[in-house]
Each structure stands twice: as C-alpha cells, then as structure tokens.
Amino acid sequence: EMLEKLPQEQAEAIFAAAHRPNRALQDLSQAIENLPMSFIRRNEVHAAATIFEDNLGSSERLLTSPIPLFYSRQTARFLFFWLLMLPLGLWGPLGNSWNHLALLPTIWILATFLFGIEELGTQLEEPFTILPMQAFCDKIYNWCFEIVGFKPGDNGMPVYYYDDYNLELSEGVASGIPLGAVLKEAAPPLNPPVLEAQVVE
C-alpha cells in the first residue's frame, strides 16, 4: 500500500529504517520545509507535526509497555478461587430453593460479569490489538485528500490575495490568478506614528 502512495525509493527507505515512524516523520518534515509558503505558516505546520510525533510516542509506549502478565494472572486466579468458594457462602441464604438449585444461576451470572470485567481490563491494556486501526487510517487518508482537493472560491465566497511586501489587497478567483487591482484599499502603516505628548504648563 505504501508503494502505491509514495515513490519507490522513498518507500524502500522507510521499509529499511530501524524505526519506520521516525523515518516517515523525517520525510514529512522535509516535505513541509519544501512547501512554497511563508516561514510563519511553515513553522506552524512544523509545530503540528511535532504534536503528532508526541502523540505517536505516547501510543508506542502504550503498545510496548503493557501491564505485566503477573497482574492479570493474579486477578484471574483470585476471581477463580473466590467464585469457587462462593457457593459455601450462599448455601444458607439460598437454602429456601429446592435442593439449593438457585445456586447454579446465581454463580453463573456472577462469574459471567466478573470474568467479563477482567477480560475488558486485559483488552484495555493493549487497545491496538482490538481497535480497527486500518479503518481509522483509511478515514484519515480520505479526509486529508479531501482537504487537499479544496480550492479557494469553490464555495462561492470571494477570494482576496495579500501581498506581504506592498500590503495591497486584490480580489482573485478560484484558480488562484489575481484579477488585478480590482479592490485596493489603503493598508494601515506597519509603524504607526508616535504621538508626542503635550506638556501642560
């Protein structure tokens, strides 16, 4: 799948890396650096990539540092022996039923709920093994390409282009080609004049 979406040389470099996410983030950082945009916006995109890297590290710690098996096994053993001895504690309270027959459904219901909770706790230790991760990735992939497909002005709203140097405002079209100085307004000065305080004698 990666060979279909990336150049072959880049995909093979990711496959050969010891830590593939770091290699992919390096390529992403280089792609951000090559974007034709203002350095201010580029820095913001880099900051978003840094947040993504931090979240990736947190997810890796969850995956590679599960709760030791001793805790899970100890919990299962405790529940097993507790449920094994539970009929002795319920023998008297359920003595009104015929031949203590009410013990069977009672123990079965309690065992189902308690062992079910224990199993849920075990699954929550490693959520990545039960979550549909591929479906999540496919959705994010589709959303990203949908955002890339957006074009200025395709919703009928006017598009204005700003010149960072001349501070002139001009109206453009969805194709990105300015129509010229259709709408020009005097921009506020970069350095507003300093008003001198008058000394009152």
Side-chain angles (χ1 to χ4, degrees):
E1 185 178 358
M2 189 175 295
L3 291 173
E4 298 175 357
K5 298 178 174 60
L6 296 176
Q8 183 177 0
E9 184 177 357
Q10 183 179 5
E12 291 178 353
I14 295 176
F15 292 149
H19 192 266
R20 295 178 180 178
N22 281 343
R23 177 64 188 187
L25 286 172
Q26 170 64 24
D27 295 346
L28 178 61
S29 178
Q30 186 63 38
I32 295 172
E33 195 65 26
N34 295 332
L35 290 175
M37 62 172 58
S38 171
F39 73 95
I40 299 178
R41 292 186 177 181
R42 191 182 298 116
N43 291 340
E44 292 296 329
V45 178
H46 275 300
T50 302
I51 296 175
F52 175 76
E53 182 180 7
D54 295 339
N55 294 330
L56 174 63
S58 301
S59 300
E60 284 188 339
R61 286 192 294 272
L62 288 175
L63 180 62
T64 58
S65 302
I67 298 177
L69 293 177
F70 171 77
Y71 297 121
S72 300
R73 292 174 180 174
Q74 182 67 17
T75 304
R77 291 167 185 164
F78 173 78
L79 285 177
F80 174 77
F81 285 108
W82 186 81
L83 291 171
L84 185 65
M85 304 301 294
L86 186 59
L88 299 178
L90 297 179
W91 183 268
L94 298 179
N96 295 330
S97 61
W98 179 79
N99 202 15
H100 300 276
L101 189 62
L103 282 174
L104 296 179
T106 303
I107 298 299
W108 180 80
I109 293 174
L110 290 175
T112 301
F113 279 102
L114 292 177
F115 279 114
I117 294 173
E118 193 272 336
E119 180 64 21
L120 287 175
T122 303
Q123 295 294 337
L124 289 176
E125 294 174 10
E126 297 182 4
F128 303 102
T129 58
I130 58 175
L131 293 176
M133 300 304 299
Q134 186 61 42
F136 293 161
C137 294
D138 292 339
K139 286 184 179 180
I140 295 173
Y141 174 80
N142 295 331
W143 292 338
C144 290
F145 267 84
E146 183 182 10
I147 294 174
V148 172
F150 294 159
K151 293 183 179 180
D154 59 359
N155 57 351
M157 298 180 61
V159 181
Y160 299 99
Y161 298 89
Y162 295 86
D163 190 341
D164 294 334
Y165 298 97
N166 298 327
L167 292 177
E168 292 183 354
L169 177 65
S170 60
E171 186 178 2
V173 293
S175 61
I177 303 176
L179 294 177
V182 178
L183 177 61
K184 293 185 179 180
E185 297 179 357
L190 292 177
N191 299 319
V194 179
L195 300 179
E196 299 180 358
Q198 297 181 358
V199 180
V200 179
E201 297 180 357

